[in-house]
Short mmCIF file of all heavy atoms in Angstrom, two decimals:
data_model
loop_
_atom_site.label_atom_id
_atom_site.label_comp_id
_atom_site.label_asym_id
_atom_site.label_seq_id
_atom_site.Cartn_x
_atom_site.Cartn_y
_atom_site.Cartn_z
N THR A 20 101.07 89.80 110.01
CA THR A 20 102.23 90.61 110.58
C THR A 20 101.95 92.07 110.12
O THR A 20 101.46 92.37 109.05
CB THR A 20 103.53 90.15 110.03
OG1 THR A 20 103.73 90.48 108.64
CG2 THR A 20 103.75 88.62 110.18
N GLY A 21 102.41 92.93 110.92
CA GLY A 21 102.11 94.44 110.64
C GLY A 21 100.70 94.76 110.68
O GLY A 21 100.26 95.67 110.04
N GLY A 22 99.94 94.03 111.40
CA GLY A 22 98.43 94.21 111.53
C GLY A 22 98.05 95.34 112.41
O GLY A 22 96.83 95.59 112.40
N ALA A 23 98.96 95.96 112.99
CA ALA A 23 98.49 97.13 113.97
C ALA A 23 98.10 98.42 113.20
O ALA A 23 97.35 99.22 113.76
CB ALA A 23 99.64 97.34 114.79
N MET A 24 98.70 98.57 112.04
CA MET A 24 98.32 99.82 111.33
C MET A 24 98.41 99.62 109.79
O MET A 24 98.81 98.64 109.19
CB MET A 24 99.65 100.76 111.47
CG MET A 24 99.63 101.48 112.88
SD MET A 24 101.11 102.68 112.78
CE MET A 24 102.28 101.75 113.57
N GLY A 25 97.91 100.58 109.08
CA GLY A 25 98.03 100.69 107.63
C GLY A 25 97.40 99.44 106.91
O GLY A 25 96.28 99.06 107.25
N ILE A 26 98.05 98.97 105.91
CA ILE A 26 97.54 97.99 105.11
C ILE A 26 97.21 96.70 105.98
O ILE A 26 96.19 96.09 105.74
CB ILE A 26 98.56 97.64 103.98
CG1 ILE A 26 98.57 98.77 102.97
CG2 ILE A 26 98.15 96.27 103.22
CD1 ILE A 26 99.59 98.62 101.83
N GLY A 27 98.12 96.24 106.89
CA GLY A 27 97.88 95.07 107.64
C GLY A 27 96.61 95.17 108.52
O GLY A 27 95.82 94.30 108.71
N ALA A 44 100.48 90.34 114.81
CA ALA A 44 101.80 90.21 115.17
C ALA A 44 102.57 91.53 114.68
O ALA A 44 102.71 91.72 113.58
CB ALA A 44 102.48 88.99 114.41
N ASP A 45 102.95 92.25 115.70
CA ASP A 45 103.54 93.59 115.39
C ASP A 45 104.43 94.03 116.53
O ASP A 45 104.40 93.47 117.63
CB ASP A 45 102.31 94.55 115.18
CG ASP A 45 102.66 95.74 114.27
OD1 ASP A 45 103.50 96.57 114.61
OD2 ASP A 45 101.98 95.81 113.27
N ILE A 46 105.22 95.19 116.25
CA ILE A 46 106.14 95.76 117.18
C ILE A 46 105.37 96.98 117.89
O ILE A 46 105.77 97.40 118.96
CB ILE A 46 107.41 96.15 116.69
CG1 ILE A 46 107.22 96.99 115.38
CG2 ILE A 46 108.27 94.97 116.56
CD1 ILE A 46 108.57 97.50 114.82
N ALA A 47 104.40 97.46 117.25
CA ALA A 47 103.75 98.69 117.81
C ALA A 47 102.59 98.34 118.82
O ALA A 47 101.47 98.02 118.36
CB ALA A 47 103.11 99.55 116.54
N GLU A 50 99.19 100.60 119.15
CA GLU A 50 98.38 100.58 117.89
C GLU A 50 97.85 99.20 117.79
O GLU A 50 96.61 98.91 117.30
CB GLU A 50 99.24 100.93 116.72
CG GLU A 50 99.66 102.43 116.66
CD GLU A 50 100.74 102.70 117.52
OE1 GLU A 50 101.37 101.89 118.25
OE2 GLU A 50 101.24 103.86 117.41
N ALA A 70 105.72 90.86 118.22
CA ALA A 70 106.60 90.03 117.49
C ALA A 70 107.33 90.96 116.45
O ALA A 70 106.61 91.67 115.62
CB ALA A 70 105.92 88.89 116.67
N ASP A 71 108.66 90.81 116.46
CA ASP A 71 109.41 91.75 115.50
C ASP A 71 109.83 90.72 114.29
O ASP A 71 110.55 89.83 114.64
CB ASP A 71 110.66 92.31 116.22
CG ASP A 71 111.50 93.08 115.19
OD1 ASP A 71 111.42 92.89 114.11
OD2 ASP A 71 112.35 93.92 115.94
N VAL A 72 109.40 90.94 113.20
CA VAL A 72 109.65 90.02 112.03
C VAL A 72 111.11 89.97 111.66
O VAL A 72 111.66 89.06 111.10
CB VAL A 72 108.78 90.29 110.78
CG1 VAL A 72 107.30 90.26 110.95
CG2 VAL A 72 109.31 91.67 110.07
N GLY A 73 111.90 90.98 112.21
CA GLY A 73 113.22 91.00 111.93
C GLY A 73 114.17 90.17 112.97
O GLY A 73 115.34 90.07 112.86
N ASN A 97 101.67 88.34 105.31
CA ASN A 97 102.97 88.83 105.57
C ASN A 97 102.78 90.43 105.15
O ASN A 97 103.23 90.77 103.95
CB ASN A 97 104.06 88.30 104.89
CG ASN A 97 104.50 86.99 105.45
OD1 ASN A 97 104.83 86.94 106.70
ND2 ASN A 97 104.55 85.89 104.77
N ALA A 98 102.44 91.34 106.15
CA ALA A 98 102.21 92.66 105.65
C ALA A 98 103.16 93.67 106.34
O ALA A 98 103.32 94.85 105.90
CB ALA A 98 100.74 93.20 106.14
N ALA A 99 103.99 93.21 107.33
CA ALA A 99 104.92 94.07 108.00
C ALA A 99 106.06 94.42 107.01
O ALA A 99 106.50 93.66 106.25
CB ALA A 99 105.62 93.31 109.11
N GLY A 100 106.41 95.68 107.04
CA GLY A 100 107.37 96.08 106.15
C GLY A 100 107.77 97.57 106.44
O GLY A 100 107.05 98.41 107.02
N ILE A 101 109.01 97.96 105.94
CA ILE A 101 109.42 99.32 106.09
C ILE A 101 109.81 99.86 104.68
O ILE A 101 110.11 99.02 103.73
CB ILE A 101 110.70 99.38 106.94
CG1 ILE A 101 111.81 98.52 106.57
CG2 ILE A 101 110.23 99.20 108.51
CD1 ILE A 101 113.12 98.67 107.32
N PHE A 102 109.72 101.14 104.42
CA PHE A 102 110.04 101.56 103.20
C PHE A 102 110.79 102.97 103.11
O PHE A 102 110.42 103.88 102.51
CB PHE A 102 108.98 101.73 102.17
CG PHE A 102 107.50 101.92 102.89
CD1 PHE A 102 106.93 103.13 102.66
CD2 PHE A 102 106.90 101.07 103.61
CE1 PHE A 102 105.68 103.36 103.20
CE2 PHE A 102 105.64 101.30 104.18
CZ PHE A 102 105.14 102.49 103.97
N ILE A 121 113.94 92.99 107.42
CA ILE A 121 112.55 93.09 107.69
C ILE A 121 111.63 92.74 106.57
O ILE A 121 110.82 91.80 106.62
CB ILE A 121 112.26 94.51 108.21
CG1 ILE A 121 112.99 94.74 109.59
CG2 ILE A 121 110.79 94.78 108.37
CD1 ILE A 121 113.02 96.02 110.09
N ASN A 122 111.79 93.28 105.43
CA ASN A 122 110.91 93.07 104.23
C ASN A 122 111.08 91.75 103.59
O ASN A 122 109.99 91.22 103.13
CB ASN A 122 111.31 94.17 103.18
CG ASN A 122 110.76 95.41 103.57
OD1 ASN A 122 110.34 95.69 104.62
ND2 ASN A 122 111.01 96.45 102.68
N MET A 126 109.68 87.78 106.04
CA MET A 126 108.61 87.04 105.41
C MET A 126 108.91 85.48 105.33
O MET A 126 108.13 84.68 105.56
CB MET A 126 108.55 87.58 103.95
CG MET A 126 107.10 88.06 103.60
SD MET A 126 107.03 88.74 102.03
CE MET A 126 106.28 90.32 102.49
N VAL A 149 102.74 90.63 101.19
CA VAL A 149 102.47 92.00 100.62
C VAL A 149 103.78 92.45 99.97
O VAL A 149 104.85 92.74 100.57
CB VAL A 149 102.06 92.98 101.74
CG1 VAL A 149 101.80 94.35 101.09
CG2 VAL A 149 100.66 92.53 102.31
N ALA A 150 103.78 92.57 98.64
CA ALA A 150 104.90 93.03 97.79
C ALA A 150 104.70 94.51 97.51
O ALA A 150 104.36 95.27 98.47
CB ALA A 150 104.95 92.12 96.59
N SER A 151 104.87 94.99 96.40
CA SER A 151 104.57 96.44 96.04
C SER A 151 104.74 96.59 94.53
O SER A 151 105.53 95.71 93.90
CB SER A 151 105.67 97.31 96.69
OG SER A 151 105.65 98.60 96.17
N ILE A 152 104.16 97.46 93.90
CA ILE A 152 104.45 97.75 92.48
C ILE A 152 105.88 98.12 92.37
O ILE A 152 106.48 98.01 91.21
CB ILE A 152 103.55 98.95 91.87
CG1 ILE A 152 103.59 100.20 92.68
CG2 ILE A 152 102.16 98.40 91.69
CD1 ILE A 152 102.99 101.42 91.94
N TYR A 164 114.49 99.29 98.66
CA TYR A 164 113.12 98.93 98.95
C TYR A 164 112.60 98.20 97.74
O TYR A 164 111.95 97.12 97.95
CB TYR A 164 112.22 100.18 99.28
CG TYR A 164 110.73 99.82 99.36
CD1 TYR A 164 110.20 99.01 100.35
CD2 TYR A 164 109.84 100.26 98.43
CE1 TYR A 164 108.91 98.73 100.43
CE2 TYR A 164 108.45 99.97 98.47
CZ TYR A 164 108.09 99.28 99.54
OH TYR A 164 106.72 98.89 99.54
N LYS A 168 111.38 94.23 97.48
CA LYS A 168 110.03 93.77 97.12
C LYS A 168 110.03 92.91 95.85
O LYS A 168 109.35 91.99 95.61
CB LYS A 168 109.13 95.03 96.95
CG LYS A 168 108.83 95.73 98.21
CD LYS A 168 108.09 94.82 99.12
CE LYS A 168 107.63 95.49 100.42
NZ LYS A 168 106.71 94.74 101.30
N ALA A 193 100.37 93.31 95.25
CA ALA A 193 101.21 94.45 94.91
C ALA A 193 100.59 95.78 94.91
O ALA A 193 99.89 96.17 93.92
CB ALA A 193 101.86 94.14 93.53
N PRO A 194 100.57 96.42 96.07
CA PRO A 194 99.80 97.68 96.19
C PRO A 194 100.54 98.81 95.41
O PRO A 194 101.69 98.71 95.23
CB PRO A 194 99.78 98.05 97.70
CG PRO A 194 100.25 96.79 98.34
CD PRO A 194 101.05 96.06 97.38
N GLY A 195 99.82 99.77 95.00
CA GLY A 195 100.29 101.04 94.48
C GLY A 195 100.43 102.03 95.63
O GLY A 195 100.70 101.61 96.71
N GLY A 196 100.15 103.31 95.31
CA GLY A 196 100.24 104.26 96.51
C GLY A 196 99.00 104.10 97.36
O GLY A 196 97.81 104.49 96.91
N ILE A 197 99.17 103.99 98.65
CA ILE A 197 98.10 103.66 99.61
C ILE A 197 98.37 104.70 100.77
O ILE A 197 99.48 104.75 101.28
CB ILE A 197 98.18 102.27 100.20
CG1 ILE A 197 98.32 101.22 99.08
CG2 ILE A 197 96.91 101.98 101.04
CD1 ILE A 197 97.23 101.27 97.97
N MET A 198 97.20 105.33 101.23
CA MET A 198 97.47 106.19 102.37
C MET A 198 97.45 105.49 103.63
O MET A 198 96.49 104.84 103.95
CB MET A 198 96.23 107.23 102.35
CG MET A 198 96.38 108.44 101.55
SD MET A 198 98.01 109.28 101.73
CE MET A 198 97.98 109.74 103.45
N THR A 199 98.62 105.46 104.26
CA THR A 199 98.75 104.78 105.55
C THR A 199 99.77 105.67 106.51
O THR A 199 100.39 106.52 105.88
CB THR A 199 99.50 103.42 105.33
OG1 THR A 199 100.84 103.67 104.83
CG2 THR A 199 98.85 102.46 104.33
N PRO A 200 99.83 105.31 107.72
CA PRO A 200 100.81 106.03 108.64
C PRO A 200 102.19 105.98 107.96
O PRO A 200 102.95 106.96 108.08
CB PRO A 200 100.60 105.42 109.82
CG PRO A 200 99.40 104.71 109.96
CD PRO A 200 99.00 104.30 108.45
N GLY A 201 102.59 104.82 107.43
CA GLY A 201 103.93 104.70 106.85
C GLY A 201 104.14 105.63 105.65
O GLY A 201 105.23 106.24 105.61
N THR A 202 103.17 105.80 104.75
CA THR A 202 103.29 106.50 103.62
C THR A 202 103.46 108.04 104.01
O THR A 202 104.28 108.77 103.42
CB THR A 202 101.97 106.55 102.81
OG1 THR A 202 101.61 105.15 102.75
CG2 THR A 202 102.26 107.06 101.41
N1 NAD B 301 101.54 102.29 101.73
C1 NAD B 301 101.94 102.05 100.52
O1 NAD B 301 101.72 102.83 99.61
C2 NAD B 301 102.42 100.77 100.16
C3 NAD B 301 102.62 100.42 98.71
C4 NAD B 301 103.01 99.20 98.36
C5 NAD B 301 103.37 98.27 99.33
N2 NAD B 301 103.35 98.58 100.70
C6 NAD B 301 103.73 97.61 101.57
O2 NAD B 301 102.63 97.30 102.51
C7 NAD B 301 103.17 96.93 103.76
C8 NAD B 301 102.43 97.77 104.87
O3 NAD B 301 102.76 99.02 104.51
P1 NAD B 301 101.92 100.20 105.32
O4 NAD B 301 101.88 101.44 104.32
O5 NAD B 301 100.72 99.79 105.89
O6 NAD B 301 103.00 100.61 106.42
P2 NAD B 301 102.77 101.24 107.87
O7 NAD B 301 104.11 101.69 108.35
O8 NAD B 301 101.62 102.20 107.87
O9 NAD B 301 102.50 100.03 108.65
C9 NAD B 301 103.35 98.92 108.78
C10 NAD B 301 103.05 98.01 110.05
O10 NAD B 301 104.07 97.00 110.13
C11 NAD B 301 104.67 97.13 111.34
N3 NAD B 301 106.06 96.79 111.45
C12 NAD B 301 107.02 97.47 110.95
N4 NAD B 301 108.24 96.83 111.19
C13 NAD B 301 107.87 95.70 111.82
C14 NAD B 301 108.55 94.55 112.31
N5 NAD B 301 109.95 94.58 112.20
N6 NAD B 301 107.94 93.58 112.96
C15 NAD B 301 106.59 93.64 113.07
N7 NAD B 301 105.87 94.62 112.56
C16 NAD B 301 106.51 95.64 111.98
C17 NAD B 301 104.38 98.48 111.89
O11 NAD B 301 104.37 98.69 113.24
C18 NAD B 301 103.00 98.82 111.31
O12 NAD B 301 101.96 98.41 112.20
C19 NAD B 301 104.59 97.10 103.67
O13 NAD B 301 105.22 95.69 103.43
C20 NAD B 301 104.88 98.06 102.59
O14 NAD B 301 106.17 97.85 102.00
C21 NAD B 301 102.84 99.82 101.07
#
Side-chain angles (χ1 to χ4, degrees):
T20 72
M24 276 184 269
I26 291 175
D45 207 296
I46 47 173
E50 291 81 356
D71 183 339
V72 302
N97 284 307
I101 53 168
F102 33 108
I121 292 174
N122 287 5
M126 237 175 235
V149 179
S151 170
I152 54 168
Y164 173 67
K168 290 298 183 177
I197 314 301
M198 271 316 295
T199 67
T202 316

